Amino acid sequence: MSIFTYWLLLPEVWVILGILLIAADFTIGADLFLLPIGISAFVIAALIYAQGNLWFGDVILLGTWRQVIIWFSMLSVASIALIKFAFQRQRKDEPDINEYE
């Protein structure tokens, strides 16, 4: 196993990455773009932890670094879309301050 794969399969690395991404989102004010990616990092950490403790039995979801990156990217895109959809739907109910009568 390469050192790159070793680090990607540690849940602690993903927790640290999630904390950094969420802190960066709140610090920079990136309009909730880094927040869902940080949440996805926490989900990946939970999946790796659960897989290491055999919660899924003999099923291996994240065996290689490629699978980890693919799962992380899919979860990131899905969570970005979900959060954007939720907040856009909420904003439609509020009047736009740029519309003048």
Side-chain angles (χ1 to χ4, degrees):
M1 180 182 328
S2 71
I3 227 157
F4 182 68
T5 305
Y6 172 75
W7 284 105
L8 281 181
L9 291 176
L10 286 177
E12 294 87 1
V13 171
W14 290 99
V15 168
I16 291 169
L17 180 65
I19 291 171
L20 289 175
L21 286 169
I22 291 173
D25 186 57
F26 290 139
T27 304
I28 297 171
D31 194 29
L32 293 177
F33 181 72
L34 296 176
L35 178 69
I37 299 173
I39 292 170
S40 298
F42 284 130
V43 172
I44 291 293
L47 286 173
I48 292 172
Y49 180 78
Q51 179 176 305
N53 288 331
L54 299 175
W55 290 0
F56 304 128
D58 292 336
V59 177
I60 297 178
L61 296 174
L62 306 168
T64 64
W65 67 270
R66 289 180 186 96
Q67 291 172 338
V68 173
I69 297 299
I70 289 170
W71 273 88
F72 178 62
S73 62
M74 288 188 323
L75 285 171
S76 296
V77 169
S79 62
I80 288 170
L82 183 68
I83 287 181
K84 291 291 183 182
F85 176 73
F87 281 105
Q88 284 178 351
R89 190 174 197 194
Q90 183 182 19
R91 287 184 184 170
K92 286 183 181 178
D93 298 336
E94 297 176 7
D96 188 10
I97 62 169
N98 293 322
E99 290 183 14
Y100 302 106
E101 294 182 22

